[in-house]
Amino acid sequence: MIGLFFLTRLPYYATKRGIFIWYADYNGKGAKRIAELSNDINNIKYDGYDEKGALRIISDEKVYILEKGNNKLRRIN
C-alpha cells in the first residue's frame, strides 16, 4: 500500500461536521475516508508512533491509532 493520509473538511457540504482523515492511494485506486475527528483543527495532534509502529493521533483528548497497512482508525482511550 503506497499512499498518503491527509486531513480535510471534505465533504465540504457537511461544514457543521468535523475534520476527516482520508487515505489517497498513489496507484490510482482513489481516496477513502477513514474517520471523522474534531471540529477544530487545533484539537488534532500527531503523537508519534507506538512500539508497533502505529501512528498515534489525539483528537479532543481522545487517543487513536492508525496501524501500519490498515486504513482504520482505532480509539484506544
Side-chain angles (χ1 to χ4, degrees):
M1 172 171 47
I2 300 173
L4 68 104
F5 293 94
F6 61 96
L7 298 174
T8 182
R9 284 208 181 268
L10 290 173
Y12 56 85
Y13 57 82
T15 56
K16 292 184 180 183
R17 295 184 64 183
I19 295 168
F20 296 92
I21 185 167
W22 286 74
Y23 172 76
D25 189 320
Y26 283 142
N27 295 325
K29 294 182 181 176
K32 178 180 179 185
R33 189 170 63 200
I34 305 297
E36 182 176 353
L37 299 172
S38 176
N39 218 7
D40 182 358
I41 191 76
N42 296 313
N43 291 339
I44 301 171
K45 297 176 180 41
Y46 296 106
D47 191 38
Y49 297 90
D50 70 5
E51 64 281 349
K52 295 180 183 176
L55 178 64
R56 291 174 49 95
I57 299 170
I58 300 172
S59 176
D60 292 329
E61 300 182 20
K62 299 173 193 132
V63 181
Y64 300 88
I65 60 169
L66 186 61
E67 296 171 341
K68 270 185 162 179
N70 192 347
N71 288 352
K72 294 181 183 169
L73 202 61
R74 184 168 55 98
R75 185 171 170 186
I76 59 173
N77 87 338

Coordinates of all heavy atoms in Angstrom, one line a residue:
M1 N 0.8 -1.2 0.0 CA 0.0 0.0 0.0 C 0.9 1.2 0.0 O 1.7 1.5 0.9 CB -0.9 0.0 1.2 CG -1.7 1.2 1.4 SD -2.9 1.1 2.7 CE -2.1 0.4 4.1
I2 N 0.8 2.0 -1.1 CA 1.6 3.2 -1.2 C 0.6 4.4 -1.3 O -0.3 4.4 -2.2 CB 2.5 3.2 -2.4 CG1 3.5 2.0 -2.2 CG2 3.3 4.5 -2.5 CD1 4.4 1.8 -3.4
G3 N 0.7 5.3 -0.4 CA -0.2 6.4 -0.5 C 0.0 7.4 0.6 O 1.1 7.4 1.2
L4 N -0.9 8.3 0.9 CA -0.7 9.3 1.9 C -2.1 9.5 2.7 O -3.1 9.3 2.2 CB -0.3 10.6 1.3 CG -1.2 11.4 0.4 CD1 -1.8 12.6 1.2 CD2 -0.5 11.9 -0.8
F5 N -1.9 10.0 3.9 CA -3.1 10.3 4.7 C -3.1 11.9 4.8 O -2.1 12.5 4.9 CB -2.9 9.7 6.1 CG -3.0 8.2 6.1 CD1 -1.9 7.5 6.0 CD2 -4.3 7.6 6.2 CE1 -2.0 6.1 6.0 CE2 -4.4 6.3 6.1 CZ -3.3 5.5 6.1
F6 N -4.3 12.4 4.8 CA -4.4 13.9 4.9 C -5.7 14.2 5.6 O -6.7 13.4 5.7 CB -4.4 14.5 3.5 CG -5.4 14.1 2.5 CD1 -6.6 14.9 2.4 CD2 -5.3 13.0 1.8 CE1 -7.6 14.5 1.5 CE2 -6.3 12.6 0.9 CZ -7.4 13.4 0.7
L7 N -5.8 15.4 6.2 CA -6.9 16.0 6.9 C -7.6 17.0 6.0 O -7.0 17.8 5.4 CB -6.5 16.6 8.2 CG -5.8 15.7 9.2 CD1 -5.4 16.6 10.4 CD2 -6.8 14.7 9.7
T8 N -9.0 17.0 6.0 CA -9.7 17.9 5.2 C -11.2 18.0 5.8 O -11.6 17.1 6.5 CB -9.8 17.6 3.7 OG1 -10.5 18.5 3.0 CG2 -10.4 16.2 3.5
R9 N -11.9 19.0 5.4 CA -13.3 19.1 5.8 C -14.2 18.4 4.7 O -15.4 18.4 4.9 CB -13.7 20.6 5.9 CG -13.2 21.2 7.2 CD -14.2 22.3 7.7 NE -13.7 22.9 8.9 CZ -14.1 22.5 10.1 NH1 -14.9 21.5 10.3 NH2 -13.6 23.1 11.2
L10 N -13.6 17.9 3.7 CA -14.4 17.2 2.7 C -15.1 16.1 3.3 O -14.5 15.4 4.1 CB -13.5 16.7 1.5 CG -12.9 17.8 0.7 CD1 -11.9 17.2 -0.3 CD2 -13.9 18.6 -0.1
P11 N -16.3 15.8 3.0 CA -17.1 16.5 2.0 C -17.5 17.9 2.6 O -18.1 18.0 3.7 CB -18.3 15.6 1.8 CG -18.4 14.8 3.1 CD -17.0 14.7 3.6
Y12 N -17.2 18.9 1.8 CA -17.4 20.3 2.2 C -18.8 20.7 2.5 O -19.1 21.7 3.2 CB -16.7 21.3 1.2 CG -17.3 21.1 -0.2 CD1 -18.4 21.7 -0.6 CD2 -16.6 20.3 -1.0 CE1 -18.9 21.6 -1.9 CE2 -17.0 20.1 -2.3 CZ -18.2 20.8 -2.8 OH -18.6 20.6 -4.0
Y13 N -19.8 19.9 2.0 CA -21.2 20.3 2.2 C -21.6 19.9 3.6 O -22.7 20.3 4.1 CB -22.1 19.5 1.2 CG -21.9 18.0 1.2 CD1 -22.6 17.3 2.2 CD2 -21.1 17.4 0.3 CE1 -22.4 15.9 2.2 CE2 -21.0 16.0 0.3 CZ -21.6 15.3 1.3 OH -21.5 13.9 1.3
A14 N -20.8 19.2 4.3 CA -21.1 18.9 5.7 C -20.3 19.8 6.7 O -19.6 19.3 7.6 CB -20.8 17.4 6.0
T15 N -20.3 21.1 6.5 CA -19.5 22.0 7.2 C -19.7 22.0 8.7 O -18.8 22.4 9.4 CB -19.6 23.5 6.7 OG1 -21.0 23.8 6.8 CG2 -19.2 23.6 5.3
K16 N -20.8 21.6 9.2 CA -21.0 21.5 10.6 C -20.4 20.3 11.3 O -20.4 20.1 12.5 CB -22.5 21.6 11.0 CG -23.1 22.9 10.6 CD -24.5 23.0 11.0 CE -25.1 24.4 10.6 NZ -26.4 24.6 11.0
R17 N -19.9 19.4 10.5 CA -19.3 18.2 11.0 C -17.8 18.5 11.2 O -17.3 19.5 11.0 CB -19.5 17.1 10.0 CG -21.0 16.7 9.9 CD -21.3 15.6 9.1 NE -20.7 14.4 9.6 CZ -20.8 13.2 9.0 NH1 -21.4 13.1 7.9 NH2 -20.2 12.1 9.5
G18 N -17.1 17.4 11.6 CA -15.7 17.6 11.9 C -14.8 17.5 10.7 O -15.2 17.6 9.6
I19 N -13.5 17.4 11.1 CA -12.5 17.3 10.1 C -12.2 15.8 9.9 O -12.2 15.0 10.8 CB -11.2 18.0 10.5 CG1 -11.5 19.5 10.7 CG2 -10.1 17.7 9.6 CD1 -10.5 20.3 11.4
F20 N -12.1 15.4 8.6 CA -12.0 14.0 8.3 C -10.5 13.6 7.9 O -9.8 14.4 7.4 CB -12.8 13.6 7.1 CG -14.3 13.8 7.3 CD1 -14.9 15.0 7.0 CD2 -15.1 12.8 7.8 CE1 -16.3 15.2 7.3 CE2 -16.4 12.9 8.1 CZ -17.0 14.1 7.8
I21 N -10.1 12.4 8.3 CA -8.8 11.9 7.8 C -9.1 11.0 6.6 O -10.0 10.2 6.7 CB -8.1 11.2 8.9 CG1 -6.7 10.7 8.5 CG2 -8.8 10.0 9.5 CD1 -5.8 10.3 9.6
W22 N -8.4 11.2 5.6 CA -8.5 10.4 4.3 C -7.2 9.7 4.0 O -6.2 10.1 4.4 CB -8.8 11.4 3.2 CG -10.2 12.0 3.2 CD1 -10.7 12.9 4.0 CD2 -11.3 11.6 2.3 NE1 -12.0 13.2 3.7 CE2 -12.4 12.4 2.6 CE3 -11.4 10.7 1.2 CZ2 -13.6 12.3 2.0 CZ3 -12.6 10.6 0.6 CH2 -13.7 11.4 0.9
Y23 N -7.4 8.7 3.2 CA -6.2 8.0 2.6 C -6.3 8.0 1.1 O -7.4 7.7 0.5 CB -6.2 6.5 3.1 CG -5.1 5.7 2.3 CD1 -3.8 5.9 2.7 CD2 -5.4 4.9 1.3 CE1 -2.8 5.2 2.0 CE2 -4.5 4.2 0.6 CZ -3.1 4.3 1.0 OH -2.2 3.7 0.3
A24 N -5.3 8.5 0.4 CA -5.2 8.5 -1.0 C -4.2 7.6 -1.5 O -3.0 7.6 -1.1 CB -4.9 9.9 -1.5
D25 N -4.6 6.7 -2.4 CA -3.7 5.7 -3.0 C -2.9 6.3 -4.2 O -3.5 6.8 -5.1 CB -4.5 4.5 -3.4 CG -3.7 3.3 -3.8 OD1 -2.7 3.5 -4.5 OD2 -4.1 2.2 -3.5
Y26 N -1.6 6.1 -4.2 CA -0.7 6.6 -5.3 C -0.9 5.7 -6.5 O -0.5 6.1 -7.6 CB 0.7 6.6 -4.9 CG 1.2 7.7 -4.0 CD1 2.1 7.5 -3.0 CD2 0.7 9.0 -4.2 CE1 2.5 8.6 -2.2 CE2 1.0 10.1 -3.4 CZ 2.0 9.8 -2.4 OH 2.4 10.9 -1.7
N27 N -1.5 4.5 -6.4 CA -1.6 3.6 -7.5 C -2.9 3.9 -8.3 O -3.3 3.1 -9.2 CB -1.6 2.2 -7.1 CG -0.3 1.8 -6.5 OD1 0.8 2.2 -6.9 ND2 -0.3 1.0 -5.4
G28 N -3.5 5.0 -8.1 CA -4.7 5.4 -8.9 C -6.0 4.7 -8.5 O -7.0 4.7 -9.2
K29 N -6.0 4.1 -7.3 CA -7.3 3.4 -6.8 C -8.2 4.4 -6.1 O -9.2 3.9 -5.6 CB -6.9 2.2 -6.0 CG -6.1 1.2 -6.8 CD -5.8 0.0 -5.9 CE -5.1 -1.0 -6.7 NZ -4.6 -2.2 -5.9
G30 N -7.9 5.7 -6.0 CA -8.8 6.6 -5.4 C -8.5 7.0 -4.0 O -7.4 6.7 -3.5
A31 N -9.4 7.6 -3.4 CA -9.3 8.0 -2.0 C -10.4 7.4 -1.1 O -11.5 7.1 -1.6 CB -9.4 9.6 -1.9
K32 N -10.1 7.2 0.2 CA -11.0 6.6 1.1 C -11.1 7.4 2.4 O -10.0 7.8 2.9 CB -10.6 5.2 1.4 CG -11.5 4.5 2.4 CD -11.0 3.1 2.6 CE -11.9 2.4 3.6 NZ -11.4 1.1 4.0
R33 N -12.3 7.8 2.8 CA -12.4 8.5 4.1 C -12.3 7.4 5.2 O -12.9 6.4 5.3 CB -13.8 9.1 4.1 CG -13.9 10.0 5.3 CD -15.2 10.9 5.3 NE -16.3 10.0 5.3 CZ -17.5 10.4 4.9 NH1 -17.7 11.6 4.4 NH2 -18.6 9.6 5.1
I34 N -11.4 7.8 6.1 CA -11.0 6.8 7.2 C -11.9 7.1 8.5 O -12.4 6.2 9.0 CB -9.5 7.0 7.6 CG1 -8.6 6.8 6.4 CG2 -9.1 6.0 8.7 CD1 -8.7 5.4 5.8
A35 N -11.9 8.4 8.9 CA -12.6 8.7 10.1 C -12.9 10.2 10.2 O -12.3 11.0 9.5 CB -11.8 8.2 11.3
E36 N -13.8 10.5 11.1 CA -14.1 11.9 11.4 C -13.5 12.2 12.8 O -13.6 11.5 13.7 CB -15.6 12.1 11.5 CG -16.0 13.5 11.7 CD -17.5 13.7 11.7 OE1 -18.3 12.8 11.4 OE2 -18.0 14.8 12.1
L37 N -12.8 13.3 12.8 CA -12.1 13.8 14.0 C -12.8 15.0 14.6 O -13.9 15.3 14.3 CB -10.6 14.0 13.7 CG -9.8 12.8 13.2 CD1 -8.5 13.2 12.8 CD2 -9.8 11.7 14.3
S38 N -12.0 15.8 15.3 CA -12.5 17.0 15.9 C -13.1 18.0 14.9 O -12.8 18.0 13.7 CB -11.4 17.7 16.7 OG -11.8 18.9 17.2
N39 N -13.9 18.9 15.4 CA -14.4 20.0 14.6 C -13.4 21.1 14.5 O -13.5 22.0 13.6 CB -15.7 20.6 15.3 CG -16.7 20.9 14.3 OD1 -16.6 20.7 13.2 ND2 -17.8 21.5 14.9
D40 N -12.4 21.1 15.3 CA -11.4 22.2 15.3 C -10.0 21.6 15.0 O -9.5 20.8 15.8 CB -11.4 22.9 16.7 CG -10.4 24.0 16.9 OD1 -9.7 24.3 15.9 OD2 -10.4 24.6 18.0
I41 N -9.4 22.1 14.0 CA -8.1 21.6 13.6 C -7.0 21.7 14.7 O -6.1 20.9 14.8 CB -7.6 22.2 12.3 CG1 -6.4 21.5 11.7 CG2 -7.3 23.7 12.5 CD1 -6.7 20.3 11.0
N42 N -7.2 22.7 15.5 CA -6.2 22.9 16.6 C -6.3 21.8 17.7 O -5.4 21.7 18.6 CB -6.4 24.3 17.3 CG -6.1 25.4 16.3 OD1 -5.1 25.4 15.6 ND2 -7.0 26.3 16.2
N43 N -7.4 21.0 17.7 CA -7.6 20.0 18.7 C -7.1 18.6 18.1 O -7.3 17.6 18.8 CB -9.0 19.9 19.1 CG -9.5 21.0 19.9 OD1 -8.7 21.7 20.5 ND2 -10.8 21.3 19.9
I44 N -6.5 18.6 16.9 CA -6.0 17.4 16.4 C -4.5 17.4 16.4 O -3.9 18.4 15.8 CB -6.5 17.2 14.9 CG1 -8.0 17.2 14.9 CG2 -5.9 15.9 14.3 CD1 -8.6 17.2 13.5
K45 N -3.8 16.4 17.0 CA -2.4 16.4 17.1 C -1.9 15.0 16.8 O -2.5 14.0 17.1 CB -2.0 16.8 18.5 CG -2.4 18.2 18.8 CD -2.0 18.6 20.3 CE -2.4 20.0 20.6 NZ -3.7 20.5 20.2
Y46 N -0.7 15.0 16.2 CA 0.0 13.7 16.0 C 0.9 13.5 17.2 O 1.5 14.4 17.7 CB 0.8 13.7 14.7 CG 0.0 13.9 13.5 CD1 -0.1 15.1 12.8 CD2 -0.8 12.8 13.0 CE1 -0.9 15.2 11.6 CE2 -1.6 12.9 11.9 CZ -1.6 14.2 11.2 OH -2.4 14.3 10.1
D47 N 0.9 12.3 17.7 CA 1.6 12.0 19.0 C 2.6 10.9 18.7 O 2.9 10.1 19.6 CB 0.5 11.5 20.0 CG 1.1 11.4 21.4 OD1 1.9 12.3 21.8 OD2 0.7 10.4 22.1
G48 N 3.3 10.9 17.6 CA 4.3 10.0 17.3 C 3.8 8.6 17.0 O 2.7 8.4 16.5
Y49 N 4.7 7.6 17.3 CA 4.3 6.2 16.9 C 4.4 5.4 18.2 O 5.2 5.6 19.1 CB 5.3 5.7 15.9 CG 5.2 6.4 14.6 CD1 6.0 7.5 14.3 CD2 4.3 5.9 13.6 CE1 5.9 8.2 13.1 CE2 4.2 6.6 12.4 CZ 5.0 7.7 12.1 OH 4.9 8.4 11.0
D50 N 3.6 4.3 18.2 CA 3.7 3.4 19.4 C 4.8 2.4 19.1 O 5.5 2.4 18.1 CB 2.3 2.8 19.7 CG 1.9 1.8 18.6 OD1 2.6 1.4 17.7 OD2 0.7 1.3 18.8
E51 N 5.0 1.4 20.0 CA 6.0 0.4 19.9 C 5.9 -0.5 18.7 O 6.8 -1.1 18.2 CB 6.1 -0.4 21.2 CG 4.9 -1.3 21.5 CD 3.8 -0.5 22.1 OE1 3.9 0.6 22.5 OE2 2.7 -1.1 22.2
K52 N 4.7 -0.6 18.1 CA 4.4 -1.4 16.9 C 4.5 -0.6 15.6 O 4.2 -1.2 14.5 CB 3.1 -2.1 17.0 CG 3.0 -3.1 18.2 CD 1.7 -3.8 18.2 CE 1.6 -4.7 19.4 NZ 0.3 -5.3 19.5
G53 N 4.8 0.7 15.7 CA 4.8 1.5 14.5 C 3.5 2.1 14.1 O 3.4 2.7 13.0
A54 N 2.5 2.0 14.9 CA 1.2 2.6 14.6 C 1.3 4.1 14.9 O 1.8 4.5 16.0 CB 0.1 2.0 15.4
L55 N 0.7 4.9 14.1 CA 0.6 6.4 14.3 C -0.4 6.7 15.3 O -1.5 6.2 15.3 CB 0.3 7.1 13.0 CG 0.1 8.6 13.0 CD1 1.4 9.2 13.3 CD2 -0.4 9.1 11.6
R56 N 0.0 7.5 16.3 CA -0.9 7.9 17.4 C -1.5 9.3 17.0 O -0.7 10.2 16.7 CB -0.2 8.0 18.7 CG 0.2 6.6 19.2 CD 1.0 6.7 20.5 NE 0.5 7.5 21.5 CZ -0.3 7.1 22.5 NH1 -0.6 5.8 22.6 NH2 -0.8 8.0 23.4
I57 N -2.8 9.5 17.1 CA -3.5 10.7 16.8 C -4.3 11.1 18.0 O -5.1 10.3 18.5 CB -4.3 10.6 15.6 CG1 -3.5 10.3 14.4 CG2 -5.1 11.9 15.3 CD1 -4.2 9.9 13.1
I58 N -4.2 12.3 18.5 CA -5.1 12.8 19.6 C -6.0 13.8 19.0 O -5.7 14.7 18.3 CB -4.2 13.5 20.7 CG1 -3.2 12.5 21.3 CG2 -5.1 14.1 21.8 CD1 -2.2 13.1 22.2
S59 N -7.3 13.6 19.3 CA -8.4 14.5 18.8 C -9.4 14.7 20.0 O -10.0 13.7 20.4 CB -9.1 13.8 17.6 OG -10.2 14.6 17.2
D60 N -9.5 16.0 20.4 CA -10.4 16.3 21.5 C -10.1 15.4 22.7 O -11.0 14.9 23.3 CB -11.8 16.2 21.1 CG -12.3 17.2 20.1 OD1 -11.7 18.3 20.1 OD2 -13.1 17.0 19.3
E61 N -8.8 15.2 23.0 CA -8.3 14.5 24.2 C -8.6 13.0 24.1 O -8.4 12.3 25.1 CB -8.8 15.1 25.5 CG -8.4 16.5 25.7 CD -8.8 17.1 27.0 OE1 -9.2 16.3 27.9 OE2 -8.8 18.3 27.1
K62 N -9.1 12.5 23.0 CA -9.2 11.0 22.7 C -8.0 10.6 21.9 O -7.6 11.3 21.0 CB -10.5 10.8 22.0 CG -11.7 11.2 22.7 CD -13.0 11.0 21.8 CE -14.1 11.8 22.5 NZ -14.8 12.6 21.6
V63 N -7.5 9.4 22.2 CA -6.3 8.9 21.6 C -6.7 7.8 20.6 O -7.4 6.9 21.0 CB -5.3 8.4 22.6 CG1 -4.0 7.9 21.9 CG2 -4.9 9.5 23.6
Y64 N -6.2 7.9 19.4 CA -6.5 6.9 18.3 C -5.2 6.4 17.8 O -4.1 7.1 17.9 CB -7.2 7.5 17.2 CG -8.6 8.1 17.6 CD1 -8.7 9.4 18.0 CD2 -9.7 7.4 17.5 CE1 -9.9 10.0 18.3 CE2 -11.0 7.9 17.8 CZ -11.0 9.2 18.2 OH -12.2 9.8 18.6
I65 N -5.2 5.2 17.2 CA -4.0 4.7 16.5 C -4.4 4.3 15.1 O -5.6 3.9 14.8 CB -3.3 3.5 17.2 CG1 -4.2 2.3 17.3 CG2 -2.7 3.9 18.5 CD1 -3.5 1.1 17.8
L66 N -3.5 4.5 14.2 CA -3.6 4.1 12.8 C -2.5 3.1 12.5 O -1.3 3.5 12.4 CB -3.5 5.3 11.9 CG -3.8 5.1 10.4 CD1 -5.2 4.6 10.2 CD2 -3.6 6.4 9.7
E67 N -2.8 1.8 12.5 CA -1.8 0.8 12.3 C -1.3 0.7 10.9 O -2.0 1.0 10.0 CB -2.4 -0.6 12.7 CG -2.9 -0.6 14.2 CD -3.7 -1.9 14.5 OE1 -4.2 -2.5 13.6 OE2 -3.8 -2.2 15.7
K68 N 0.0 0.3 10.8 CA 0.6 0.2 9.5 C -0.2 -0.8 8.7 O -0.5 -1.9 9.1 CB 2.0 -0.4 9.7 CG 3.1 0.7 9.8 CD 4.4 0.0 9.9 CE 5.5 1.0 9.6 NZ 6.8 0.4 9.7
G69 N -0.4 -0.5 7.4 CA -1.1 -1.3 6.5 C -2.6 -1.4 6.7 O -3.3 -2.2 6.1
N70 N -3.1 -0.6 7.6 CA -4.6 -0.6 7.9 C -5.2 0.8 7.6 O -4.6 1.8 8.0 CB -4.8 -1.0 9.3 CG -6.2 -1.4 9.6 OD1 -7.1 -1.1 8.9 ND2 -6.4 -2.0 10.8
N71 N -6.3 0.8 7.0 CA -7.0 2.1 6.8 C -8.1 2.4 7.8 O -9.1 3.0 7.4 CB -7.6 2.1 5.4 CG -6.5 2.2 4.3 OD1 -5.3 2.4 4.6 ND2 -6.9 2.0 3.1
K72 N -7.9 1.9 9.0 CA -9.0 2.1 10.0 C -8.3 2.8 11.2 O -7.3 2.3 11.7 CB -9.7 0.8 10.4 CG -10.4 0.2 9.2 CD -11.1 -1.0 9.6 CE -11.8 -1.6 8.4 NZ -12.3 -3.0 8.7
L73 N -9.0 3.8 11.7 CA -8.6 4.5 12.9 C -9.2 3.8 14.1 O -10.4 3.5 14.1 CB -9.0 5.9 12.9 CG -8.2 6.9 13.7 CD1 -6.8 7.0 13.3 CD2 -8.9 8.3 13.6
R74 N -8.4 3.4 15.1 CA -9.0 2.7 16.3 C -8.7 3.6 17.5 O -7.6 4.0 17.8 CB -8.3 1.4 16.4 CG -8.9 0.5 17.5 CD -8.4 -0.9 17.4 NE -6.9 -1.1 17.4 CZ -6.2 -1.4 18.4 NH1 -6.7 -1.6 19.6 NH2 -4.9 -1.5 18.3
R75 N -9.8 3.8 18.3 CA -9.7 4.5 19.6 C -9.1 3.6 20.6 O -9.6 2.5 20.8 CB -11.1 5.1 20.0 CG -11.0 5.9 21.2 CD -12.3 6.6 21.5 NE -12.2 7.3 22.8 CZ -13.2 7.8 23.3 NH1 -14.4 7.9 22.7 NH2 -13.1 8.4 24.5
I76 N -8.1 4.2 21.4 CA -7.5 3.3 22.4 C -7.8 3.9 23.8 O -7.4 3.3 24.8 CB -6.0 3.1 22.2 CG1 -5.3 4.5 22.2 CG2 -5.8 2.3 21.0 CD1 -3.8 4.3 22.2
N77 N -8.4 5.1 23.9 CA -8.9 5.5 25.3 C -10.1 6.4 25.1 O -10.4 6.9 24.1 CB -7.8 6.3 26.0 CG -7.7 7.7 25.7 OD1 -8.1 8.2 24.7 ND2 -7.1 8.5 26.6

